[in-house]
Amino acid sequence: MIKRTKSNEQYRKKYLYLEPGFTPGTQADKEAIFTTDFGVNFSLQVCFDILHAGPGTSNVAERGVTDVIMSSYWVDELPFLMAPQMWQGWSEGLAVNLIVANFHNPEYGGLGSGIFRGLTSQDSLYTYDPNSGTKLLVGEVVSRRPTPLRTSTDPCDGAVAPEGTAIYQTVPIVEEDLTGIHHDNGDGKTDEENSQSETEGRGMPKEHAILHEDLERYSHSVLEKGDTLMEGSLCHNDSLCCSVTYSFPDSIPDDSSFLLLAYSGLVEKGGGSYSIFTQVCAVVHCLNENVTSCARVEDKENGASKKTAFRAHNLTGNFDTSFVYPSVLNQDLQLFNVSLWDFESSASSEKVVESTLVLHEELDNLLSLTLFGRWFDRDP
């Protein structure tokens, strides 16, 4: 369990999301850092903060923090901002550990909590099921600290802790249900348990509300089929250029379409209440060759996933920002294990950052392969 031992003051959320009754916090980002009794520095952040420059991002980039704790009521958005997709991407892109407790309210888009271990590129531990209700996740995380709490050569979830690291067990990650208070109904079950039993008995799974980004503003091209290794590329506004290497044999019947997308510019969130500057390179599964059909998982026949002959090999983009978050998501809205892909990013010139997502294996049921960049200096 994580025990907070030193902090200057309580951290107050800086970037609000449709919360007109609150005033944003004004503390310096460093005020969100606290130190535990086992010597690891953590940064706090809350929900929409993760899409902004602070406090978590700046504490990682400017102050060397490698462990971040986040509470959230995230609203899912396809194809790039699903909860575990965003959190794993942020964790892997910044090479940090991210521990997230999210609100469980799938009917309004809130779903998923997890432990994302990008510092060591271990697989993530997360929950993402509309019917799960409140769920507890506990896991061990390898972190850094100046003086080791203990050194070890024993494996921790498949990783070896090098000398000078700390191994800690995370605070429980809990998805809170909207019911809030659980009443005893005299039958030994809570309201939540009875409600879940009734739902399962009727065969009525909870709905999962998902927003969709307007992709018509994106540059996009259909990835053609062919029996050889293929390449696709395109740019947006002569600024961001993306390329993909893939195979998609036309000798195998496959009614899927995959589009390469590129975008560099402002996007609106919260129904147009907020604007942020993003740079995105992505390959997305679509129902047909129209970009408006992309990532429409709820419109698939019978809701079933189908295998596809499409095989991505790598996706590369030339970004104007170093804050690029990679993700690989399947059509069941689950993450592919990080052992199946690598992320590489380096400055190729004074202003251009080349980022590449490389796949090690052929992946069936692919929904999106994404490099999501945030260019904070261009925000309004």
Side-chain angles (χ1 to χ4, degrees):
M1 184 171 182
I2 295 173
K3 181 180 179 182
R4 180 173 177 162
T5 61
K6 184 175 69 175
S7 179
N8 295 326
E9 60 177 296
Q10 291 183 340
Y11 168 69
R12 294 171 174 83
K13 183 179 179 183
K14 298 185 70 170
Y15 297 97
L16 304 181
Y17 186 86
L18 302 179
E19 298 162 296
F22 294 89
T23 301
T26 58
Q27 307 104 313
D29 290 343
K30 64 181 181 180
E31 301 297 335
I33 298 175
F34 68 94
T35 304
T36 62
D37 57 349
F38 48 87
V40 174
N41 292 331
F42 283 83
S43 177
L44 297 170
Q45 64 184 4
V46 182
C47 201
F48 203 41
D49 289 343
I50 197 172
L51 281 176
H52 292 270
T57 303
S58 66
N59 285 335
V60 169
E62 299 173 16
R63 299 174 182 89
V65 174
T66 59
D67 297 79
V68 179
I69 294 178
M70 173 176 160
S71 61
S72 182
Y73 187 164
W74 192 262
V75 178
D76 282 329
E77 181 183 87
L78 280 169
F80 310 125
L81 294 180
M82 303 300 283
Q85 175 188 31
M86 179 63 206
W87 299 336
Q88 185 190 60
W90 195 87
S91 174
E92 293 291 330
L94 295 180
V96 297
N97 298 317
L98 175 65
I99 303 167
V100 185
N102 192 34
F103 209 79
H104 185 80
N105 188 15
E107 294 93 337
Y108 290 88
L111 181 63
S113 294
I115 301 166
F116 303 89
R117 297 175 280 200
L119 182 61
T120 55
S121 288
Q122 295 171 261
D123 284 335
S124 302
L125 174 63
Y126 69 101
T127 176
Y128 198 69
D129 179 359
N131 298 302
S132 68
T134 298
K135 190 169 183 178
L136 176 70
L137 296 176
V138 179
E140 286 192 332
V141 181
V142 177
S143 185
R144 295 175 185 159
R145 53 169 288 164
T147 303
L149 175 69
R150 63 183 173 95
T151 57
S152 173
T153 56
D154 295 328
C156 169
D157 291 340
V160 175
E163 186 172 354
T165 66
I167 300 175
Y168 64 86
Q169 189 175 65
T170 69
V171 65
I173 306 301
V174 180
E175 292 183 309
E176 293 292 349
D177 207 308
L178 267 183
T179 50
I181 300 175
H182 305 301
H183 302 282
D184 188 340
N185 298 295
D187 57 1
K189 295 184 178 181
T190 64
D191 288 338
E192 178 187 324
E193 290 170 333
N194 279 314
S195 176
Q196 187 170 352
S197 297
E198 291 173 5
T199 299
E200 292 172 349
R202 293 193 302 266
M204 298 169 57
K206 287 187 177 181
E207 292 186 6
H208 178 193
I210 303 174
L211 301 176
H212 284 265
E213 184 175 355
D214 179 11
L215 298 178
E216 292 189 272
R217 72 183 83 186
Y218 282 59
S219 296
H220 54 274
S221 62
V222 177
L223 296 178
E224 301 295 337
K225 293 185 178 182
D227 291 326
T228 61
L229 193 64
M230 310 281 286
E231 293 185 1
S233 62
L234 78 165
C235 300
H236 187 262
N237 291 338
D238 296 324
S239 173
L240 175 73
C241 291
C242 311
S243 61
V244 61
T245 302
Y246 69 98
S247 59
F248 201 178
D250 55 11
S251 57
I252 302 176
D254 192 335
D255 57 3
S256 298
S257 291
F258 284 86
L259 269 62
L260 176 63
L261 307 178
Y263 182 76
S264 178
L266 291 173
V267 294
E268 296 74 37
K269 303 301 175 187
S273 300
Y274 313 98
S275 294
I276 59 176
F277 201 101
T278 65
Q279 291 193 309
V280 179
C281 289
V283 172
V284 182
H285 174 271
C286 309
L287 299 179
N288 52 56
E289 295 185 355
N290 192 317
V291 71
T292 61
S293 76
C294 292
R296 293 286 173 174
V297 293
E298 65 272 41
D299 296 334
K300 292 187 300 180
E301 184 179 357
N302 300 322
S305 301
K306 295 182 179 179
K307 288 190 175 183
T308 172
F310 180 84
R311 300 286 182 263
H313 293 263
N314 60 64
L315 174 68
T316 298
N318 293 324
F319 292 82
D320 296 291
T321 174
S322 59
F323 297 101
V324 180
Y325 313 135
S327 65
V328 188
L329 191 69
N330 71 24
Q331 294 177 39
D332 298 316
L333 304 182
Q334 300 295 313
L335 300 170
F336 284 101
N337 291 341
V338 293
S339 60
L340 301 178
W341 53 274
D342 280 326
F343 172 65
E344 304 166 356
S345 188
S346 61
S348 58
S349 68
E350 184 178 350
K351 294 184 178 180
V352 177
V353 176
E354 183 174 279
S355 297
T356 302
L357 204 163
V358 180
L359 298 181
H360 301 315
E361 297 183 13
E362 298 179 346
L363 303 180
D364 280 320
N365 199 23
L366 179 68
L367 177 67
S368 63
L369 189 69
T370 304
L371 295 170
F372 181 92
R374 276 289 283 119
W375 195 351
F376 304 117
D377 292 341
R378 297 290 300 274
D379 286 353

